[in-house]
Amino acid sequence: MKKVVKFGGSSLADAEQFKKAAAIIQADPSRVYVVPSAPGKRFGKDTKVTDLLYRMFHEAEEKKDFSETLNEIRSRYSAIITGLGLKGFTLDREFEEIEKEMLTEPDADFAASRGEYLNGRIMARYLGYEFIDAAEVIFFYEDGSLNLEKTTVVMRRRLERVPRAVIPGFYGQGFNRRIKTFSRGGSDITGSIVAGAVRADVYENWTDVSGFMVADPRIVSNPVRIETITYRELRELSYMGASVLHEEAIFPVRHEGIPINIRNTNAPEDDGTWIVESTCQKSGYVVTGIAGKKGFCTVLISKAMMNSEIGFGRKVLQAFEENEISFEHMPSGIDTMTIVVHEDEFKDKEQRVVSAIHRMAGPDSIEIESDLALIAVVGRGMKSTRGTAGRIFSALAHAHVNVRMIDQGSSELNIIIGVENEDFETAVKAIYDIFVLTQI
Ligand code: ASP
């Protein structure tokens, strides 16, 4: 049994959290590869070390004095080192190098990556594990995307000879051999890459919540936890998952059929949530999760006899493509098609898109509406259960929510409902209540 364990920033924010993480690792000898994030927030208004590092970079770039920020960062690490009682261990040399880089050639990715690099150094020392710099084992293509093939081969070969190691999250080696980071929250991706490369049995992702909840706890109080969710369900619920797990963290493990277990560093006894390829486990409720987001726009395009006009849809979509706008959903009628887009991405370009649609597709009319919220109701159990849609809509009607759009994915895994922004919370609560609360 081989497990890769990734600890998020709040799990390593100070020495006390470090000790909890170490106790978790030591409690199970199969937890052999550890991927740390940079120290996160210790309390609500605290600043993440990664944000301090970006601040330091900006100051250095503008040739301002960055010593105060550097000292703040240094003191975060000193407090951890002292709190862990690591005698004779310092990061002085590393900090000298950081300072030198900032003075000579400040680079944002290099600066940001030091958060996990330094935390990795401490973690390796504390555990007595080997430290492997992510820049030696993770590679990017020239266009900035991850070179998973090369990474997997190099990482696998390197780790074959190392039974236990700490590999810092969030960065690797760019095409130009300089440090390159993933997008924010990217340590989740590193953990997934390591798990995929060593063909781990489990990728444990330790964070500060006990997994995914059926609905957002800011909307529904004390929602029940999702025990098992499939990768596909999670994708459909991507509005929900983003804050717990980086979207791009799924691919490397999914590729190897490795499950992800989301766990809580502050409550290690909780089983957390399992993310798996497929399962015969029933989700307990017909619905696995409910998630949504406000701030969408709909573009309704009408044209008589649209259904028989070949290429109409392509021309419409081309108008969006040319303006570099991705669309979220596309429900259609016989003479209409609706494109649902993110309002903030769309609003500055809307008139350009409208004229492009007119130019390319010659519709009869185009109507734009805003303030739409989308809610995804997702569940692998929906396919075999009658009346799911009926229950959703009667719950919404009872809650006096007007449904503006409905889109059921053909996989029968999800139903997407569009409501007014202002009805969003009421709608999520109503759906949660009908599927979960009334079943408990
Ligand atoms: N430290 C980085 C961030 O704050 C990456 C991570 O924590 O996963 O985004």
Side-chain angles (χ1 to χ4, degrees):
M1 186 81 157
K2 206 162 30 181
K3 292 181 184 167
V4 170
V5 289
K6 180 257 167 178
F7 287 89
S10 57
S11 303
L12 301 171
D14 58 23
E16 287 320 300
Q17 290 299 90
F18 248 83
K19 286 182 192 166
K20 286 187 200 168
I24 288 165
I25 297 164
Q26 283 151 356
D28 180 348
S30 63
R31 293 182 174 131
V32 288
Y33 297 118
V34 181
V35 176
S37 279
K41 292 185 184 191
R42 294 159 294 180
F43 43 87
K45 290 220 157 67
D46 199 11
T47 311
K48 290 178 174 189
V49 164
T50 309
D51 291 315
L52 292 174
L53 288 160
Y54 279 121
R55 187 199 296 165
M56 175 186 70
F57 157 73
H58 287 300
E59 289 165 349
E61 198 192 26
E62 291 164 17
K63 300 261 179 282
K64 288 189 189 148
D65 178 13
F66 59 87
S67 56
E68 203 176 304
T69 313
L70 184 63
N71 282 340
E72 200 176 331
I73 298 164
R74 202 195 305 253
S75 67
R76 291 287 304 263
Y77 288 103
S78 310
I80 295 174
I81 295 170
T82 316
L84 295 178
L86 291 176
K87 301 244 157 47
F89 176 82
T90 72
L91 293 170
D92 291 348
R93 213 167 34 85
E94 284 80 0
F95 273 104
E96 258 167 47
E97 196 204 329
I98 294 171
E99 192 170 7
K100 205 175 93 205
E101 290 279 330
M102 290 304 115
L103 287 170
T104 50
E105 223 184 326
D107 179 85
D109 282 17
F110 172 78
S113 73
R114 296 304 88 182
E116 350 296 283
Y117 175 83
L118 298 171
N119 240 13
R121 284 258 173 229
I122 299 175
M123 183 59 115
R125 173 63 175 250
Y126 190 54
L127 293 171
Y129 281 22
E130 187 166 329
F131 175 83
I132 295 182
D133 190 352
E136 288 172 31
V137 284
I138 292 181
F139 303 93
F140 293 89
Y141 286 114
E142 198 170 0
D143 68 1
S145 61
L146 171 70
N147 182 341
L148 189 60
E149 297 74 34
K150 180 173 174 188
T151 298
T152 303
V153 171
V154 174
M155 173 111 57
R156 188 171 290 160
R157 229 183 269 147
R158 181 80 169 85
L159 292 182
E160 251 164 25
R161 291 177 275 129
V162 188
R164 290 167 184 277
V166 173
I167 305 112
F170 191 39
Y171 70 93
Q173 188 187 118
F175 192 72
N176 52 8
R177 309 193 111 248
R178 295 169 72 111
I179 296 283
K180 176 162 171 42
T181 60
F182 291 107
S183 54
R184 294 300 302 264
S187 299
D188 286 338
I189 309 174
T190 310
S192 178
I193 294 170
V194 177
V198 302
R199 300 199 174 96
D201 296 281
V202 184
Y203 168 28
E204 285 181 350
N205 190 297
W206 292 82
T207 174
D208 53 6
V209 288
S210 294
F212 295 111
M213 305 297 139
V214 170
D216 187 336
R218 287 165 301 187
I219 301 176
V220 171
S221 63
N222 280 322
V224 293
R225 180 173 51 83
I226 301 175
E227 284 170 23
T228 309
I229 185 167
T230 64
Y231 291 124
R232 281 177 57 215
E233 285 176 310
L234 188 61
R235 273 296 296 147
E236 298 292 349
L237 288 169
S238 61
Y239 307 134
M240 166 182 82
S243 59
V244 180
L245 185 76
H246 195 297
E247 265 191 356
E248 291 162 42
I250 289 179
F251 181 71
V253 278
R254 185 174 183 178
H255 198 62
E256 297 285 339
I258 299 165
I260 306 176
N261 189 195
I262 306 287
R263 300 285 293 266
N264 188 348
T265 305
N266 303 318
E269 62 289 351
D270 289 355
D271 294 332
T273 296
W274 285 89
I275 310 168
V276 299
E277 171 79 47
S278 184
T279 178
C280 65
Q281 308 234 350
K282 302 270 180 334
S283 60
Y285 311 97
V286 176
V287 158
T288 305
I290 306 154
K293 204 168 148 192
K294 295 182 188 180
F296 290 94
C297 270
T298 53
V299 185
L300 171 71
I301 300 127
S302 314
K303 185 170 191 182
M305 307 301 287
M306 178 194 288
N307 64 326
S308 53
E309 183 177 329
I310 292 167
F312 185 83
R314 179 182 52 75
K315 291 174 203 156
V316 169
L317 292 181
Q318 202 176 337
F320 286 85
E321 185 181 346
E322 279 183 3
N323 286 287
E324 295 188 341
I325 293 169
S326 61
F327 70 93
E328 200 73 10
H329 293 284
M330 190 176 57
S332 63
I334 194 115
D335 282 342
T336 59
M337 64 190 278
T338 303
I339 311 287
V340 182
V341 289
H342 287 269
E343 201 165 322
D344 49 5
E345 212 179 288
F346 181 68
K347 63 175 186 282
D348 293 340
K349 299 179 178 167
E350 65 170 23
Q351 295 312 319
R352 267 190 279 155
V353 175
V354 169
S355 67
I357 299 174
H358 273 293
R359 180 166 35 85
M360 289 191 269
D364 297 337
S365 68
I366 299 175
E367 270 171 72
I368 299 176
E369 284 188 33
S370 59
D371 297 329
L372 182 80
L374 290 181
I375 301 168
V377 185
V378 176
R380 55 188 180 278
M382 274 167 32
K383 199 154 54 179
S384 52
T385 314
R386 261 173 297 149
T388 311
R391 287 168 74 193
I392 295 174
F393 297 115
S394 75
L396 292 175
H398 275 108
H400 305 288
V401 172
N402 179 31
V403 174
R404 275 180 45 188
M405 190 201 90
I406 304 166
D407 191 5
Q408 174 165 27
S410 45
S411 59
E412 281 192 61
L413 195 66
N414 62 339
I415 297 177
I416 312 281
I417 300 142
V419 300
E420 299 287 333
N421 273 345
E422 61 179 36
D423 286 337
F424 177 62
E425 284 84 5
T426 314
V428 171
K429 265 193 223 129
I431 300 170
Y432 179 85
D433 287 355
I434 195 81
F435 286 105
V436 182
L437 216 56
T438 53
Q439 311 292 310
I440 296 177

